[in-house]
Amino acid sequence: MHYKKLHQRFAGIAFLSALLVASGCSEPAGTKMPKYKQNPSPQDQYDLTIVVDNAPGPFASVQGAMQYDISNRDCLPPAEGLSVAQTTPISSFIPIALKRVNETTFEGIIALDGLVDEDYFGHGVCHFRPIGPSFSLKATGASGETKFVASRWAEDFEFDPQGTTYYLRSSYPKHQKISDYPDVGAGSPEEYKESLRGDLFSVSITARKVQQ
């Protein structure tokens, strides 16, 4: 699998974990979740349109978050403990407020400069790099349902405004074998066996630059 696609799959799982923390669930033991400053006057913003096509049913629960990573890890606190492991996460997430336009279309806005570069730990200024938005869609939001995850890379917005992810319709609303299955889909129908390509639905994310 191409590195970028593989990394995006892992990013989708990380996004799901971040939603648990943002919703008030306990963070993993030993981790430190710093409070970074949100930019009050972002200048690099994008309107997002999320469109679901050919799904076998509606999505009552749709959540989104924009991911930012610290690009210079030397600004973080020193590693702790006998394992010499860094417990301060380099990724941070800002929830995306979504407006439901209709049963299949949602809109939101993100900022590539959403977090403030600052000296948060006394080791120099931390610089944030925008990774991209991710969304989790569930049929009703009930426990056990499949979480369909759609993501975009922020670096792709300028030359490729729209990205589409494809999923098996048979995984809706629940996976046959796995409860709370995180389905990150595929970037093309060709990534599925030919016999399955007639059983797909898609989620498209379109980004449009906001003119200041």
Side-chain angles (χ1 to χ4, degrees):
M1 182 181 294
H2 191 280
Y3 170 77
K4 194 169 185 180
K5 293 179 181 177
L6 180 63
H7 186 276
Q8 190 161 16
R9 289 176 184 270
F10 283 116
I13 304 302
F15 160 71
L16 292 175
S17 300
L19 284 181
L20 293 177
V21 174
S23 62
C25 298
S26 298
E27 61 194 55
T31 63
K32 297 180 180 179
M33 299 302 293
K35 300 296 184 182
Y36 300 121
K37 294 181 181 179
Q38 193 165 337
N39 187 352
S41 302
Q43 299 299 308
D44 197 1
Q45 295 181 300
Y46 282 81
D47 285 321
L48 299 181
T49 302
I50 300 92
V51 177
V52 181
D53 183 53
N54 199 39
F59 287 99
S61 174
V62 181
Q63 294 177 284
M66 177 66 187
Q67 178 180 343
Y68 307 84
D69 282 3
I70 292 175
S71 59
N72 57 319
R73 301 189 186 188
D74 57 346
C75 76
L76 299 174
E80 298 179 358
L82 297 177
S83 65
V84 196
Q86 176 57 257
T87 58
T88 303
I90 66 167
S91 297
S92 187
F93 299 81
I94 295 180
I96 301 172
L98 291 172
K99 172 187 174 183
R100 183 184 292 271
V101 179
N102 52 47
E103 284 298 308
T104 61
T105 304
F106 306 84
E107 294 179 341
I109 188 169
I110 60 168
L112 301 192
D113 55 345
L115 292 177
V116 177
D117 292 347
E118 191 170 291
D119 186 349
Y120 290 96
F121 306 101
H123 299 283
V125 175
C126 290
H127 298 282
F128 291 97
R129 178 170 66 94
I131 301 302
S134 292
F135 300 90
S136 173
L137 301 88
K138 297 181 68 176
T140 69
S143 177
E145 292 182 339
T146 299
K147 304 179 185 74
F148 295 96
V149 181
S151 305
R152 288 294 316 274
W153 295 97
E155 64 188 38
D156 291 345
F157 287 171
E158 186 173 353
F159 65 88
D160 188 13
Q162 180 173 295
T164 302
T165 307
Y166 298 84
Y167 312 87
L168 288 173
R169 290 167 56 89
S170 56
S171 292
Y172 177 100
K174 293 183 179 181
H175 192 276
Q176 295 179 353
K177 298 180 179 180
I178 305 174
S179 181
D180 294 306
Y181 178 60
D183 191 342
V184 296
S188 168
E190 283 68 36
E191 294 186 42
Y192 291 95
K193 294 189 299 184
E194 187 173 358
S195 60
L196 298 175
R197 293 173 192 171
D199 184 39
L200 300 178
F201 76 94
S202 66
V203 176
S204 296
I205 303 172
T206 302
R208 298 180 181 83
K209 177 75 172 180
V210 175
Q211 301 302 320
Q212 300 292 333

